[in-house]
Amino acid sequence: MARILILFSSTDGHTIKICGRLKQVIERNAHQVTTVSVKDFRHIDLAAFDKVVVGASIRYGKHSKLVFDFISSNLELLDSKSNAFFSVNIVARKPEKNQPETNPYMRKFLRQIAWRPKELAVFAGKLDYPKYSFFDRLMIRFIMLITKGPTDPATAVEFTDWQQVEAFGLRVSEM
Ligand SMILES: Cc1cc2nc3c(=O)[nH]c(=O)nc-3n(C[C@H](O)[C@H](O)[C@H](O)COP(=O)(O)O)c2cc1C
């Protein structure tokens, strides 16, 4: 049995939902999973875990600065363990942009960090106009208009491929 930390960065909760599914899959494989927000990373004893998974969503083109802070503060410890990273974004709803090698946010992220995660995944996120502030709804609808996505302000849709999430959970269990 391995002790696995899943550290998440989420604004509207969808990355947390993905972490919940990963936890289910991994615990079915007899490991123990602890999920913690990146906001609390300074209180975590990384040495207590055998594997570390970091998962973060994209907001206006970026992963949270806290994710970068966590990585740079823990680079050596991270490298000494089995580890993985996944990104959640709406661009990944497009089949040609849903792999680590083809997703622009993942590619940019890997260029920005010294860490080389041993496993990578990209998941399409959730679009939830009714939940957004007026400004965010306006901006995201504009982005969707340009990228040929849904613009109806009543749209709430999960683009996430849950089979892909489960497959990643199995890879994490086995790594
Ligand atoms: C204000 C806002 C900005 C976003 N910006 C982007 C973006 O630049 N690129 C993208 O692919 N997805 C973008 N998204 C989509 C989110 O990555 C997606 O909704 C994801 O599921 C959010 O996960 P979270 O709820 O864990 O934060 C944005 C969403 C919101 C609400």
Side-chain angles (χ1 to χ4, degrees):
M1 185 205 77
R3 290 156 304 171
I4 302 176
L5 171 69
I6 304 184
L7 191 80
F8 62 83
S9 160
S10 176
T11 306
D12 293 322
H14 194 64
T15 306
I16 298 177
K17 184 171 176 180
I18 291 174
C19 291
R21 183 67 68 92
L22 289 174
K23 182 175 160 81
Q24 268 178 11
V25 174
I26 297 168
E27 290 193 337
R28 241 185 268 141
N29 284 273
H31 301 299
Q32 194 184 75
V33 174
T34 305
T35 52
V36 180
S37 166
V38 71
K39 290 178 191 157
D40 297 324
F41 87 79
R42 289 195 172 81
H43 308 296
I44 305 167
D45 176 16
L46 267 197
F49 296 94
D50 306 304
K51 310 184 189 188
V52 180
V53 179
V54 179
S57 63
I58 286 286
R59 212 169 165 87
Y60 293 125
K62 292 179 181 158
H63 294 102
S64 158
K65 181 181 175 298
L66 282 176
V67 174
F68 292 93
D69 292 349
F70 168 76
I71 292 169
S72 55
S73 313
N74 293 285
L75 199 52
E76 264 184 45
L77 255 177
L78 262 178
D79 275 337
S80 70
K81 296 173 189 292
S82 294
N83 63 63
F85 174 77
F86 69 89
S87 176
V88 181
N89 54 77
I90 278 293
V91 161
R93 76 187 186 284
K94 301 197 165 197
E96 72 277 15
K97 292 189 178 163
N98 73 357
Q99 297 300 314
E101 308 77 42
T102 56
N103 185 264
Y105 300 118
M106 178 65 95
R107 290 170 57 110
K108 182 174 163 202
F109 182 72
L110 293 176
R111 282 197 302 273
Q112 290 172 318
I113 57 168
W115 177 35
R116 284 292 155 261
K118 291 169 184 147
E119 293 286 345
L120 292 171
V122 174
F123 303 126
K126 182 176 181 181
L127 185 66
D128 195 351
Y129 288 129
K131 205 172 177 179
Y132 301 159
S133 68
F134 175 79
F135 176 77
D136 286 341
R137 188 160 49 241
L138 196 71
M139 292 299 287
I140 305 297
R141 285 182 74 203
F142 181 64
I143 294 168
M144 284 297 140
L145 186 70
I146 298 169
T147 61
K148 300 186 171 62
T151 52
D152 178 345
T155 306
V157 57
E158 276 183 7
F159 290 105
T160 315
D161 177 341
W162 292 104
Q163 280 186 346
Q164 209 189 348
V165 174
E166 296 202 353
F168 180 65
L170 285 179
R171 270 158 59 205
V172 169
S173 303
E174 286 161 14
M175 73 184 183

